[in-house]
Amino acid sequence: MASEGTATASPAERDGPADGRLTALLTCAMAFSMLQLFLLGALGPRLVDELAVSPALLGLTTTIGFGTAAVLSPVGGRIVDRIGPRRSLAALLLLSAVALALIGAAPGAGLLLGAVALGGVPQALANPATNQAVLRAVPPARRGAVTGWKQSGVQLGAFAAGAPLAVLAGGIGWRGAVWTGAAAALLTGLWALRTLPADPPPPLAGPRTDLVPRAMVAWLGAFSLFLGAGIASVNTYLSLFGAQRLGLGATTAGALVAVLGVAGIGGRVGWSKAARPGRAEWLPGWLALGALGAAALLAAALLLGPLVWVGAVAVGVFAVSGNAVSMVLVLQRAAPGRAGQDSALVAAGFFTGFAVGPPLFGLLAQSGRYGPGWLLVAAEFAVAAAVAFCWAVRDRRRGGTA
């Protein structure tokens, strides 16, 4: 496929923000787009106690948020292609702030679930908006590194939820911690408006919106579905697992999510830099196999508790890095004018996995069966690896056109 990266940089692109500021902004945007997921996971023990939220309902919050994101992603990609990354990122951050504020105000499960559904909208915009910003303002030679850093923003959100915000919740309460996140998202939205170059006029016509992914996008979407199912289960229940089965305090259990986040930042940056054409096609499968081993470590923590920390690191290094590499592949191969749509369709598979995984795990967690739960996660990662390797073999046979 031809890549948008082959186009000559426009004056707007050449006059855009420096790589460092742009990378920081896009990293923050990705962090806020999914911060609610990690906050619900890190604050899970407090929500279970204070809002009488059951473990199964905790999983349902993830289903609603990412179900919304999965449904809206194809349309969101088309919107980003038309209105541009600056407007899209500003809308993303504003909606993230509103959703977090509503979560902090929720008196019970009803408003909590509604706020989480609203939070699915910025998730649908995040990958296409940030990918378009990379294509507009970053030279082709730097795009892999910038993509890795901005995708690591998701794990920065995990760190923020599991460390500073979880600690803050111990001092001012979980609502105050969530409202602090909302205020930070709003300030970042103002920063985006001041930093990003103006969007170009919308095209008079563009490629039609495909609701059904094809070729590479379809394979990566299927890979992302199973990968996302496993990652979402870990994100949602790792802290609760530490508190309920390993005897960790609420703050220490929240630190598991922070450890996962820090490992994920390093993994996404490192593997994205390594994802050069010819090698990138095989990385998703190998990363999914590493994720399978990470799930086995979490299961083994039932017998040897400290292994939970090793498992959390391994999930960050391998599992969460798979999504970043898939986005690098999209940027390398997207046809002109389709980066937003292709990114959104791959993200839709990822979000569908996030919607499906936690409720299945939650049924097991509800009865305290965390061992079978981690084995379920391992099976999801195994299927993701199989899909990724099948595509890589097919792609090699077809000369990079599959």
Short mmCIF file of all heavy atoms in Angstrom, two decimals, residues 284-353:
data_model
loop_
_atom_site.label_atom_id
_atom_site.label_comp_id
_atom_site.label_asym_id
_atom_site.label_seq_id
_atom_site.Cartn_x
_atom_site.Cartn_y
_atom_site.Cartn_z
N PRO A 284 3.85 -8.61 16.37
CA PRO A 284 2.62 -8.85 17.15
C PRO A 284 2.50 -10.28 17.66
O PRO A 284 2.09 -10.51 18.81
CB PRO A 284 1.51 -8.51 16.15
CG PRO A 284 2.12 -7.49 15.25
CD PRO A 284 3.55 -7.94 15.09
N GLY A 285 2.86 -11.26 16.84
CA GLY A 285 2.76 -12.65 17.27
C GLY A 285 3.70 -12.97 18.43
O GLY A 285 3.31 -13.61 19.42
N TRP A 286 4.96 -12.50 18.33
CA TRP A 286 5.91 -12.77 19.40
C TRP A 286 5.52 -12.04 20.69
O TRP A 286 5.68 -12.59 21.79
CB TRP A 286 7.31 -12.36 18.97
CG TRP A 286 7.89 -13.24 17.90
CD1 TRP A 286 8.20 -12.89 16.61
CD2 TRP A 286 8.21 -14.63 18.02
NE1 TRP A 286 8.69 -13.97 15.93
CE2 TRP A 286 8.72 -15.06 16.78
CE3 TRP A 286 8.12 -15.56 19.07
CZ2 TRP A 286 9.13 -16.37 16.54
CZ3 TRP A 286 8.52 -16.87 18.83
CH2 TRP A 286 9.01 -17.26 17.59
N LEU A 287 4.99 -10.84 20.56
CA LEU A 287 4.56 -10.11 21.76
C LEU A 287 3.37 -10.80 22.43
O LEU A 287 3.28 -10.85 23.66
CB LEU A 287 4.20 -8.67 21.39
CG LEU A 287 5.38 -7.79 20.97
CD1 LEU A 287 4.89 -6.42 20.50
CD2 LEU A 287 6.38 -7.63 22.10
N ALA A 288 2.46 -11.35 21.63
CA ALA A 288 1.32 -12.07 22.21
C ALA A 288 1.79 -13.33 22.94
O ALA A 288 1.22 -13.70 23.98
CB ALA A 288 0.31 -12.41 21.12
N LEU A 289 2.81 -14.00 22.40
CA LEU A 289 3.35 -15.17 23.12
C LEU A 289 3.97 -14.75 24.45
O LEU A 289 3.83 -15.45 25.46
CB LEU A 289 4.39 -15.88 22.25
CG LEU A 289 3.86 -16.72 21.09
CD1 LEU A 289 5.01 -17.38 20.35
CD2 LEU A 289 2.88 -17.78 21.58
N GLY A 290 4.68 -13.62 24.46
CA GLY A 290 5.20 -13.11 25.72
C GLY A 290 4.09 -12.78 26.71
O GLY A 290 4.23 -13.02 27.92
N ALA A 291 2.98 -12.26 26.19
CA ALA A 291 1.84 -11.95 27.04
C ALA A 291 1.24 -13.21 27.64
O ALA A 291 0.79 -13.22 28.80
CB ALA A 291 0.78 -11.20 26.22
N LEU A 292 1.24 -14.29 26.87
CA LEU A 292 0.75 -15.58 27.40
C LEU A 292 1.57 -15.99 28.62
O LEU A 292 1.02 -16.42 29.65
CB LEU A 292 0.84 -16.63 26.30
CG LEU A 292 0.15 -17.99 26.51
CD1 LEU A 292 -0.02 -18.69 25.16
CD2 LEU A 292 0.96 -18.90 27.43
N GLY A 293 2.88 -15.84 28.52
CA GLY A 293 3.73 -16.16 29.67
C GLY A 293 3.44 -15.26 30.86
O GLY A 293 3.49 -15.70 32.01
N ALA A 294 3.12 -13.98 30.58
CA ALA A 294 2.80 -13.06 31.67
C ALA A 294 1.54 -13.50 32.41
O ALA A 294 1.46 -13.44 33.65
CB ALA A 294 2.61 -11.65 31.10
N ALA A 295 0.52 -13.95 31.66
CA ALA A 295 -0.71 -14.43 32.30
C ALA A 295 -0.43 -15.66 33.16
O ALA A 295 -1.02 -15.83 34.24
CB ALA A 295 -1.76 -14.75 31.23
N ALA A 296 0.47 -16.53 32.69
CA ALA A 296 0.83 -17.70 33.49
C ALA A 296 1.49 -17.29 34.81
O ALA A 296 1.27 -17.91 35.85
CB ALA A 296 1.76 -18.61 32.68
N LEU A 297 2.29 -16.23 34.78
CA LEU A 297 2.92 -15.73 36.00
C LEU A 297 1.87 -15.22 36.99
O LEU A 297 1.99 -15.42 38.21
CB LEU A 297 3.91 -14.62 35.67
CG LEU A 297 5.23 -15.05 35.02
CD1 LEU A 297 6.00 -13.83 34.54
CD2 LEU A 297 6.07 -15.86 36.01
N LEU A 298 0.84 -14.54 36.49
CA LEU A 298 -0.22 -14.06 37.38
C LEU A 298 -0.95 -15.24 38.04
O LEU A 298 -1.29 -15.18 39.22
CB LEU A 298 -1.20 -13.19 36.60
CG LEU A 298 -0.62 -11.87 36.06
CD1 LEU A 298 -1.69 -11.12 35.26
CD2 LEU A 298 -0.10 -11.00 37.19
N ALA A 299 -1.19 -16.29 37.27
CA ALA A 299 -1.82 -17.47 37.85
C ALA A 299 -0.91 -18.10 38.90
O ALA A 299 -1.37 -18.54 39.96
CB ALA A 299 -2.16 -18.49 36.74
N ALA A 300 0.38 -18.14 38.62
CA ALA A 300 1.33 -18.74 39.57
C ALA A 300 1.45 -17.93 40.84
O ALA A 300 1.88 -18.46 41.88
CB ALA A 300 2.70 -18.88 38.90
N ALA A 301 1.06 -16.64 40.80
CA ALA A 301 1.12 -15.82 42.01
C ALA A 301 0.20 -16.32 43.10
O ALA A 301 0.39 -16.00 44.28
CB ALA A 301 0.77 -14.37 41.66
N LEU A 302 -0.78 -17.13 42.75
CA LEU A 302 -1.64 -17.73 43.77
C LEU A 302 -0.84 -18.67 44.67
O LEU A 302 -1.19 -18.89 45.83
CB LEU A 302 -2.79 -18.50 43.10
CG LEU A 302 -3.89 -17.62 42.48
CD1 LEU A 302 -4.77 -18.44 41.54
CD2 LEU A 302 -4.73 -16.98 43.58
N LEU A 303 0.25 -19.22 44.13
CA LEU A 303 1.12 -20.10 44.90
C LEU A 303 2.32 -19.37 45.47
O LEU A 303 2.78 -19.68 46.56
CB LEU A 303 1.60 -21.26 44.01
CG LEU A 303 0.50 -22.14 43.41
CD1 LEU A 303 1.12 -23.17 42.48
CD2 LEU A 303 -0.31 -22.81 44.51
N LEU A 304 2.83 -18.38 44.73
CA LEU A 304 3.99 -17.62 45.16
C LEU A 304 3.68 -16.14 44.90
O LEU A 304 3.89 -15.63 43.80
CB LEU A 304 5.23 -18.07 44.38
CG LEU A 304 6.57 -17.49 44.83
CD1 LEU A 304 6.87 -17.87 46.28
CD2 LEU A 304 7.69 -17.98 43.92
N GLY A 305 3.18 -15.46 45.93
CA GLY A 305 2.63 -14.13 45.80
C GLY A 305 3.49 -13.10 45.07
O GLY A 305 2.97 -12.36 44.23
N PRO A 306 4.81 -13.01 45.36
CA PRO A 306 5.63 -11.99 44.70
C PRO A 306 5.65 -12.07 43.18
O PRO A 306 6.00 -11.10 42.50
CB PRO A 306 7.02 -12.22 45.30
CG PRO A 306 6.76 -12.83 46.64
CD PRO A 306 5.56 -13.70 46.44
N LEU A 307 5.28 -13.22 42.61
CA LEU A 307 5.26 -13.34 41.16
C LEU A 307 4.25 -12.39 40.51
O LEU A 307 4.34 -12.12 39.31
CB LEU A 307 4.94 -14.79 40.74
CG LEU A 307 6.07 -15.80 40.90
CD1 LEU A 307 5.57 -17.19 40.51
CD2 LEU A 307 7.26 -15.41 40.04
N VAL A 308 3.30 -11.87 41.30
CA VAL A 308 2.33 -10.96 40.73
C VAL A 308 3.01 -9.70 40.19
O VAL A 308 2.59 -9.13 39.18
CB VAL A 308 1.23 -10.60 41.76
CG1 VAL A 308 1.78 -9.69 42.87
CG2 VAL A 308 0.04 -9.93 41.07
N TRP A 309 4.09 -9.28 40.84
CA TRP A 309 4.82 -8.09 40.38
C TRP A 309 5.56 -8.38 39.08
O TRP A 309 5.58 -7.54 38.17
CB TRP A 309 5.80 -7.62 41.46
CG TRP A 309 5.10 -7.23 42.73
CD1 TRP A 309 4.92 -8.01 43.84
CD2 TRP A 309 4.46 -5.98 43.02
NE1 TRP A 309 4.22 -7.32 44.80
CE2 TRP A 309 3.92 -6.07 44.33
CE3 TRP A 309 4.30 -4.80 42.31
CZ2 TRP A 309 3.24 -5.02 44.93
CZ3 TRP A 309 3.62 -3.74 42.90
CH2 TRP A 309 3.10 -3.86 44.19
N VAL A 310 6.15 -9.57 38.98
CA VAL A 310 6.82 -9.96 37.74
C VAL A 310 5.81 -10.07 36.61
O VAL A 310 6.06 -9.64 35.48
CB VAL A 310 7.58 -11.29 37.93
CG1 VAL A 310 8.34 -11.67 36.67
CG2 VAL A 310 8.51 -11.21 39.12
N GLY A 311 4.65 -10.66 36.93
CA GLY A 311 3.60 -10.78 35.92
C GLY A 311 3.10 -9.43 35.44
O GLY A 311 2.85 -9.23 34.24
N ALA A 312 2.96 -8.47 36.36
CA ALA A 312 2.51 -7.13 35.98
C ALA A 312 3.51 -6.47 35.03
O ALA A 312 3.14 -5.85 34.03
CB ALA A 312 2.31 -6.27 37.22
N VAL A 313 4.81 -6.62 35.33
CA VAL A 313 5.84 -6.07 34.44
C VAL A 313 5.77 -6.74 33.07
O VAL A 313 5.85 -6.07 32.02
CB VAL A 313 7.24 -6.27 35.06
CG1 VAL A 313 8.33 -5.92 34.05
CG2 VAL A 313 7.39 -5.41 36.32
N ALA A 314 5.61 -8.05 33.05
CA ALA A 314 5.58 -8.78 31.78
C ALA A 314 4.36 -8.40 30.94
O ALA A 314 4.46 -8.30 29.71
CB ALA A 314 5.61 -10.28 32.04
N VAL A 315 3.22 -8.18 31.57
CA VAL A 315 2.05 -7.73 30.83
C VAL A 315 2.35 -6.39 30.16
O VAL A 315 1.98 -6.16 28.99
CB VAL A 315 0.82 -7.61 31.75
CG1 VAL A 315 -0.34 -6.90 31.04
CG2 VAL A 315 0.36 -8.99 32.21
N GLY A 316 3.02 -5.49 30.89
CA GLY A 316 3.35 -4.20 30.31
C GLY A 316 4.32 -4.30 29.16
O GLY A 316 4.14 -3.67 28.11
N VAL A 317 5.37 -5.11 29.32
CA VAL A 317 6.41 -5.22 28.29
C VAL A 317 5.89 -5.88 27.03
O VAL A 317 6.24 -5.47 25.91
CB VAL A 317 7.62 -6.00 28.85
CG1 VAL A 317 8.62 -6.33 27.74
CG2 VAL A 317 8.30 -5.19 29.94
N PHE A 318 5.05 -6.91 27.18
CA PHE A 318 4.63 -7.69 26.01
C PHE A 318 3.20 -7.38 25.56
O PHE A 318 2.99 -6.98 24.41
CB PHE A 318 4.76 -9.19 26.32
CG PHE A 318 6.17 -9.63 26.56
CD1 PHE A 318 6.60 -9.97 27.83
CD2 PHE A 318 7.09 -9.67 25.52
CE1 PHE A 318 7.91 -10.38 28.06
CE2 PHE A 318 8.40 -10.07 25.74
CZ PHE A 318 8.81 -10.43 27.01
N ALA A 319 2.22 -7.55 26.43
CA ALA A 319 0.83 -7.46 26.00
C ALA A 319 0.48 -6.06 25.49
O ALA A 319 -0.02 -5.90 24.37
CB ALA A 319 -0.11 -7.87 27.14
N VAL A 320 0.74 -5.05 26.31
CA VAL A 320 0.29 -3.71 25.92
C VAL A 320 1.11 -3.15 24.76
O VAL A 320 0.68 -2.23 24.08
CB VAL A 320 0.32 -2.73 27.12
CG1 VAL A 320 -0.56 -3.24 28.26
CG2 VAL A 320 1.74 -2.50 27.60
N SER A 321 2.29 -3.71 24.51
CA SER A 321 3.11 -3.25 23.40
C SER A 321 2.55 -3.70 22.06
O SER A 321 2.84 -3.08 21.02
CB SER A 321 4.55 -3.75 23.55
OG SER A 321 5.12 -3.29 24.75
N GLY A 322 1.77 -4.78 22.05
CA GLY A 322 1.22 -5.28 20.79
C GLY A 322 0.34 -4.26 20.10
O GLY A 322 0.37 -4.14 18.86
N ASN A 323 -0.42 -3.49 20.85
CA ASN A 323 -1.29 -2.48 20.25
C ASN A 323 -0.48 -1.38 19.61
O ASN A 323 -0.83 -0.87 18.53
CB ASN A 323 -2.23 -1.91 21.32
CG ASN A 323 -3.12 -0.82 20.78
OD1 ASN A 323 -3.00 0.33 21.16
ND2 ASN A 323 -4.04 -1.17 19.89
N ALA A 324 0.63 -0.97 20.23
CA ALA A 324 1.47 0.07 19.66
C ALA A 324 2.07 -0.38 18.33
O ALA A 324 2.12 0.39 17.36
CB ALA A 324 2.57 0.46 20.64
N VAL A 325 2.54 -1.62 18.28
CA VAL A 325 3.14 -2.12 17.04
C VAL A 325 2.09 -2.20 15.94
O VAL A 325 2.37 -1.90 14.77
CB VAL A 325 3.79 -3.49 17.29
CG1 VAL A 325 4.22 -4.14 15.98
CG2 VAL A 325 4.98 -3.35 18.22
N SER A 326 0.85 -2.57 16.28
CA SER A 326 -0.19 -2.62 15.25
C SER A 326 -0.46 -1.23 14.68
O SER A 326 -0.72 -1.08 13.48
CB SER A 326 -1.47 -3.24 15.82
OG SER A 326 -2.07 -2.40 16.79
N MET A 327 -0.37 -0.19 15.52
CA MET A 327 -0.57 1.17 15.01
C MET A 327 0.60 1.62 14.14
O MET A 327 0.41 2.35 13.16
CB MET A 327 -0.77 2.14 16.18
CG MET A 327 -2.13 2.01 16.85
SD MET A 327 -3.47 2.37 15.69
CE MET A 327 -4.84 1.52 16.50
N VAL A 328 1.82 1.18 14.46
CA VAL A 328 2.95 1.47 13.58
C VAL A 328 2.72 0.84 12.21
O VAL A 328 2.97 1.46 11.16
CB VAL A 328 4.26 0.95 14.20
CG1 VAL A 328 5.41 1.07 13.20
CG2 VAL A 328 4.60 1.72 15.47
N LEU A 329 2.21 -0.39 12.18
CA LEU A 329 1.92 -1.05 10.91
C LEU A 329 0.87 -0.28 10.11
O LEU A 329 0.98 -0.16 8.88
CB LEU A 329 1.44 -2.48 11.18
CG LEU A 329 2.53 -3.51 11.48
CD1 LEU A 329 1.94 -4.76 12.11
CD2 LEU A 329 3.29 -3.86 10.21
N VAL A 330 -0.15 0.23 10.78
CA VAL A 330 -1.17 1.01 10.09
C VAL A 330 -0.55 2.25 9.45
O VAL A 330 -0.82 2.58 8.29
CB VAL A 330 -2.31 1.41 11.05
CG1 VAL A 330 -3.24 2.44 10.40
CG2 VAL A 330 -3.11 0.18 11.46
N LEU A 331 0.29 2.97 10.20
CA LEU A 331 0.92 4.17 9.66
C LEU A 331 1.86 3.84 8.50
O LEU A 331 1.97 4.62 7.55
CB LEU A 331 1.69 4.90 10.76
CG LEU A 331 0.86 5.58 11.84
CD1 LEU A 331 1.76 6.27 12.85
CD2 LEU A 331 -0.11 6.59 11.24
N GLN A 332 2.52 2.70 8.56
CA GLN A 332 3.42 2.32 7.48
C GLN A 332 2.69 2.00 6.20
O GLN A 332 3.22 2.20 5.10
CB GLN A 332 4.27 1.11 7.91
CG GLN A 332 5.33 1.42 8.96
CD GLN A 332 6.05 0.17 9.45
OE1 GLN A 332 5.64 -0.96 9.15
NE2 GLN A 332 7.11 0.36 10.23
N ARG A 333 1.44 1.51 6.32
CA ARG A 333 0.77 0.97 5.13
C ARG A 333 -0.52 1.68 4.75
O ARG A 333 -1.16 1.30 3.78
CB ARG A 333 0.46 -0.51 5.37
CG ARG A 333 1.71 -1.36 5.53
CD ARG A 333 1.31 -2.81 5.55
NE ARG A 333 2.47 -3.69 5.60
CZ ARG A 333 2.47 -4.93 5.15
NH1 ARG A 333 1.37 -5.44 4.62
NH2 ARG A 333 3.56 -5.68 5.24
N ALA A 334 -0.93 2.69 5.50
CA ALA A 334 -2.22 3.34 5.22
C ALA A 334 -2.20 4.01 3.85
O ALA A 334 -1.24 4.68 3.48
CB ALA A 334 -2.53 4.37 6.30
N ALA A 335 -3.28 3.84 3.09
CA ALA A 335 -3.42 4.53 1.82
C ALA A 335 -3.71 6.01 2.08
O ALA A 335 -4.19 6.37 3.16
CB ALA A 335 -4.57 3.91 1.01
N PRO A 336 -3.39 6.89 1.12
CA PRO A 336 -3.65 8.32 1.31
C PRO A 336 -5.10 8.58 1.71
O PRO A 336 -6.03 8.06 1.09
CB PRO A 336 -3.32 8.91 -0.07
CG PRO A 336 -2.32 7.97 -0.65
CD PRO A 336 -2.73 6.60 -0.17
N GLY A 337 -5.27 9.39 2.74
CA GLY A 337 -6.61 9.76 3.20
C GLY A 337 -7.31 8.73 4.05
O GLY A 337 -8.45 8.93 4.46
N ARG A 338 -6.63 7.61 4.37
CA ARG A 338 -7.31 6.53 5.09
C ARG A 338 -6.69 6.25 6.45
O ARG A 338 -7.10 5.31 7.13
CB ARG A 338 -7.28 5.24 4.27
CG ARG A 338 -8.22 5.25 3.06
CD ARG A 338 -8.53 3.82 2.65
NE ARG A 338 -9.06 3.07 3.78
CZ ARG A 338 -10.35 2.97 4.08
NH1 ARG A 338 -11.24 3.60 3.35
NH2 ARG A 338 -10.75 2.27 5.11
N ALA A 339 -5.71 7.02 6.87
CA ALA A 339 -5.04 6.71 8.14
C ALA A 339 -6.01 6.73 9.31
O ALA A 339 -5.96 5.87 10.19
CB ALA A 339 -3.90 7.69 8.39
N GLY A 340 -6.90 7.73 9.33
CA GLY A 340 -7.87 7.81 10.41
C GLY A 340 -8.81 6.63 10.43
O GLY A 340 -9.06 6.02 11.47
N GLN A 341 -9.37 6.29 9.27
CA GLN A 341 -10.31 5.18 9.20
C GLN A 341 -9.65 3.85 9.54
O GLN A 341 -10.21 3.04 10.28
CB GLN A 341 -10.94 5.11 7.80
CG GLN A 341 -11.86 6.28 7.49
CD GLN A 341 -12.57 6.09 6.18
OE1 GLN A 341 -13.26 5.09 5.98
NE2 GLN A 341 -12.42 7.03 5.27
N ASP A 342 -8.47 3.60 8.95
CA ASP A 342 -7.80 2.33 9.23
C ASP A 342 -7.41 2.21 10.70
O ASP A 342 -7.56 1.15 11.32
CB ASP A 342 -6.55 2.19 8.35
CG ASP A 342 -6.89 1.92 6.90
OD1 ASP A 342 -8.08 1.70 6.60
OD2 ASP A 342 -5.97 1.95 6.06
N SER A 343 -6.92 3.31 11.28
CA SER A 343 -6.59 3.30 12.71
C SER A 343 -7.83 3.00 13.54
O SER A 343 -7.77 2.23 14.52
CB SER A 343 -6.01 4.66 13.13
OG SER A 343 -4.85 4.97 12.41
N ALA A 344 -8.95 3.62 13.16
CA ALA A 344 -10.18 3.44 13.93
C ALA A 344 -10.71 2.02 13.83
O ALA A 344 -11.22 1.47 14.81
CB ALA A 344 -11.23 4.44 13.43
N LEU A 345 -10.58 1.39 12.64
CA LEU A 345 -11.09 0.03 12.49
C LEU A 345 -10.26 -0.96 13.30
O LEU A 345 -10.80 -1.88 13.91
CB LEU A 345 -11.11 -0.35 11.01
CG LEU A 345 -12.17 0.37 10.17
CD1 LEU A 345 -11.95 0.10 8.68
CD2 LEU A 345 -13.58 -0.07 10.58
N VAL A 346 -8.94 -0.77 13.32
CA VAL A 346 -8.10 -1.63 14.16
C VAL A 346 -8.42 -1.38 15.63
O VAL A 346 -8.54 -2.32 16.43
CB VAL A 346 -6.60 -1.38 13.88
CG1 VAL A 346 -5.73 -2.14 14.88
CG2 VAL A 346 -6.25 -1.81 12.45
N ALA A 347 -8.59 -0.11 16.00
CA ALA A 347 -8.93 0.23 17.38
C ALA A 347 -10.29 -0.34 17.77
O ALA A 347 -10.49 -0.72 18.93
CB ALA A 347 -8.92 1.74 17.57
N ALA A 348 -11.22 -0.43 16.81
CA ALA A 348 -12.54 -0.99 17.11
C ALA A 348 -12.41 -2.44 17.57
O ALA A 348 -13.12 -2.88 18.48
CB ALA A 348 -13.45 -0.89 15.89
N GLY A 349 -11.52 -3.20 16.93
CA GLY A 349 -11.29 -4.57 17.39
C GLY A 349 -10.73 -4.59 18.79
O GLY A 349 -11.15 -5.39 19.64
N PHE A 350 -9.79 -3.70 19.07
CA PHE A 350 -9.18 -3.61 20.40
C PHE A 350 -10.24 -3.26 21.45
O PHE A 350 -10.31 -3.89 22.52
CB PHE A 350 -8.09 -2.54 20.36
CG PHE A 350 -7.12 -2.59 21.51
CD1 PHE A 350 -6.38 -3.72 21.78
CD2 PHE A 350 -6.93 -1.47 22.31
CE1 PHE A 350 -5.46 -3.76 22.83
CE2 PHE A 350 -6.02 -1.49 23.36
CZ PHE A 350 -5.29 -2.65 23.62
N PHE A 351 -11.08 -2.29 21.14
CA PHE A 351 -12.11 -1.88 22.08
C PHE A 351 -13.17 -2.96 22.28
O PHE A 351 -13.71 -3.12 23.38
CB PHE A 351 -12.78 -0.59 21.61
CG PHE A 351 -11.85 0.61 21.60
CD1 PHE A 351 -11.98 1.61 20.65
CD2 PHE A 351 -10.85 0.73 22.54
CE1 PHE A 351 -11.14 2.71 20.64
CE2 PHE A 351 -9.99 1.82 22.54
CZ PHE A 351 -10.13 2.81 21.60
N THR A 352 -13.47 -3.70 21.23
CA THR A 352 -14.41 -4.81 21.38
C THR A 352 -13.86 -5.84 22.36
O THR A 352 -14.59 -6.37 23.21
CB THR A 352 -14.69 -5.47 20.02
OG1 THR A 352 -15.25 -4.50 19.12
CG2 THR A 352 -15.67 -6.62 20.16
N GLY A 353 -12.57 -6.11 22.25
CA GLY A 353 -11.95 -7.01 23.22
C GLY A 353 -12.01 -6.47 24.63
O GLY A 353 -12.28 -7.20 25.59
#
